[in-house]
Amino acid sequence: MKIAEIDTHLVKLPYTTGGTGNIGRMDWTTLDYVLIRIETEGGLVGWGDAFAYGGAALSVKAAVDHMLAPKLIGQDASAIGQLSYMLQQGHHLLGRYGITMFAISGIDIALWDLAGKAAGVPVSTLLGGARRGEIPAYASLFNYSDPDDVAEHCARALGEGFGSIKLHETGEAQVRAARMAMGDGVPLMVDTNCPWTPWQAREAALSFKQYDLHWLEEPIFPPEDFESLNRLAIEVDIPLAAGENACTAFEFQQMMNADAVTYYQPSVTKVGGITEFNKIIAMAQLQGATVMPHAPYFGPGLLATLHILATMPDECLAETFYYKTLEASLYGDAIVAKNGNIAVPTGSGLGLDPDPDVIKDYGDKDA
Ligand SMILES: [Mg+2]
């Protein structure tokens, strides 16, 4: 099963959030994907996507096109672990975090899609077998700033069947509004995207304490300050979550050795794909840690995450962006949460291929 061809497509799907559109100091108006299409000499096609947004998307696409693809043509597509090692070792001097690993992640996901299609089974079967066919999803709300808007979106998400909600807010007024709207006992998470020093994080976390958070996500900058995360969790006694900004199983090993958080959040389009993700799940099992995938995606990276989640315990949730409008979807409504659950695709490989018309209509013609 030799690799014959690798193409990339930069796709931007316009969407609205109903809020400020600002998460992590980025203004989001489109969902950006670097889709990677790998075709074998036998004509089998696999799809992956590499984490990308804004101007960085062009860099990620260039990394796949010029740095990785030339080394993969003619290689055996089924040797996924070997190819992951070869790409990581061969490019380590270009960064073990960031664009290099994002590009490698997208390639890896496409290779797993190919492996499933070649075997005629879903990726979840290759990962050891699915224990559930649909995954409970939490509504990952955007930043609204106005507490009334926060409350309104929380109430709406609960009304649509979501069993838990995550905010992207940093203020106590917004967290209070969410808890008041949701009532007691409904899991509420708060994602802050690395805004604070350890001391500031402690002050903020203590102000959130009364709202019974299921987890507080990425309260400290820089995200790799694992020791401060560990200290914060002990000081404030609130479960912490982090990991979307960590790449490779090695970095997660460092996080786990520091006992940094309660919930470890590898992101399949960043961490090194399914291959690295798998190692993290194994490490977490050995250490008694919980993996809670980061996946506010709508492309192959989401499908890969669903297949991974299908093999994981019930408390492991899918993340779905709670957008207001999305102009087009790569998979129609197959990945939309229904009554708070997302179905795991049952076809071979990742189970779904992206809509070629959407790629054509929303692909960046200049890229
Ligand atoms: Mg986050």
Side-chain angles (χ1 to χ4, degrees):
M1 197 164 78
K2 284 190 176 175
I3 296 172
E5 199 177 308
I6 299 178
D7 303 309
T8 53
H9 304 270
L10 177 51
V11 176
K12 292 174 176 284
L13 302 180
Y15 76 139
T16 60
T17 68
T20 66
N22 184 302
I23 289 184
R25 290 155 294 282
M26 297 283 296
D27 280 328
W28 297 61
T29 55
T30 56
L31 297 173
D32 298 352
Y33 306 84
V34 172
L35 293 177
I36 301 170
R37 179 186 182 278
I38 301 183
E39 183 168 348
T40 67
E41 288 182 354
L44 213 52
V45 172
W47 289 91
D49 75 306
F51 185 79
Y53 54 75
L58 283 171
S59 304
V60 174
K61 184 179 186 306
V64 176
D65 289 343
H66 304 297
M67 201 166 77
L68 305 184
K71 294 185 175 140
L72 289 166
I73 302 300
Q75 298 279 352
D76 178 4
S78 62
I80 304 176
Q82 300 303 323
L83 293 179
S84 174
Y85 192 90
M86 182 265 284
L87 292 178
Q88 289 195 46
Q89 190 182 40
H91 300 89
H92 72 275
L93 69 170
L94 297 168
R96 296 281 292 153
Y97 172 78
I99 286 164
T100 305
M101 287 306 300
F102 302 167
I104 290 173
S105 300
I107 294 281
D108 185 85
I109 293 167
L111 293 175
W112 278 90
D113 187 25
L114 274 172
K117 285 169 174 166
V121 298
V123 165
S124 58
T125 301
L126 299 180
L127 296 175
R131 57 187 298 283
R132 48 186 179 163
E134 56 180 30
I135 313 296
Y138 63 83
S140 192
L141 271 52
F142 288 89
N143 179 276
Y144 309 103
S145 289
D146 182 340
D148 290 340
D149 285 346
V150 173
E152 181 196 324
H153 283 84
C154 286
R156 192 187 306 162
L158 290 183
E160 290 170 9
F162 286 101
S164 49
I165 290 174
K166 186 168 89 178
L167 309 182
H168 283 90
E169 309 283 347
T170 53
E172 190 208 340
Q174 290 78 7
V175 178
R176 185 191 323 124
R179 178 49 83 200
M180 299 280 282
M182 293 166 65
D184 293 338
V186 182
L188 168 64
M189 297 79 88
V190 176
D191 188 351
T192 58
N193 296 105
C194 308
W196 296 312
T197 66
W199 179 255
Q200 292 168 330
R202 183 174 178 277
E203 294 291 296
L206 287 173
S207 78
F208 297 157
K209 177 88 179 161
Q210 60 192 305
Y211 305 116
D212 187 25
L213 299 190
H214 191 54
W215 74 65
L216 174 62
E217 184 169 327
E218 289 200 309
I220 290 173
F221 181 83
E224 65 270 28
D225 185 355
F226 305 140
E227 286 71 23
S228 291
L229 285 169
N230 167 269
R231 268 199 306 275
L232 177 66
I234 293 168
E235 284 173 2
V236 302
D237 194 24
I238 295 174
L240 302 184
E244 67 180 86
N245 284 303
C247 288
T248 77
F250 266 88
E251 192 166 7
F252 275 87
Q253 185 180 40
Q254 291 167 353
M255 280 185 84
M256 290 181 191
N257 286 344
D259 199 14
V261 293
T262 301
Y263 298 107
Y264 292 84
Q265 299 178 297
S267 191
V268 75
T269 66
K270 302 166 96 175
V271 75
I274 296 172
T275 300
E276 287 296 308
F277 206 119
N278 251 346
K279 297 177 193 171
I280 294 160
I281 291 174
M283 286 193 313
Q285 283 173 345
L286 293 173
Q287 302 219 10
T290 302
V291 174
M292 195 67 76
H294 170 263
Y297 307 134
F298 297 87
L302 173 62
L303 302 184
T305 305
L306 292 174
H307 283 276
I308 292 166
L309 276 164
T311 71
M312 293 171 70
D314 287 348
E315 67 263 27
C316 300
L317 309 171
E319 176 173 18
T320 189
F321 258 160
Y322 196 66
Y323 57 81
K324 188 171 183 191
T325 61
L326 180 61
E327 199 170 297
S329 164
L330 292 168
Y331 306 115
D333 64 356
I335 52 168
V336 175
K338 296 180 182 72
N339 203 25
N341 295 294
I342 307 179
V344 183
T346 54
S348 62
L350 293 175
L352 296 166
D353 284 342
D355 184 337
D357 290 335
V358 173
I359 294 174
K360 186 155 66 70
D361 293 345
Y362 294 92
D364 189 335
K365 311 294 186 292
D366 301 326

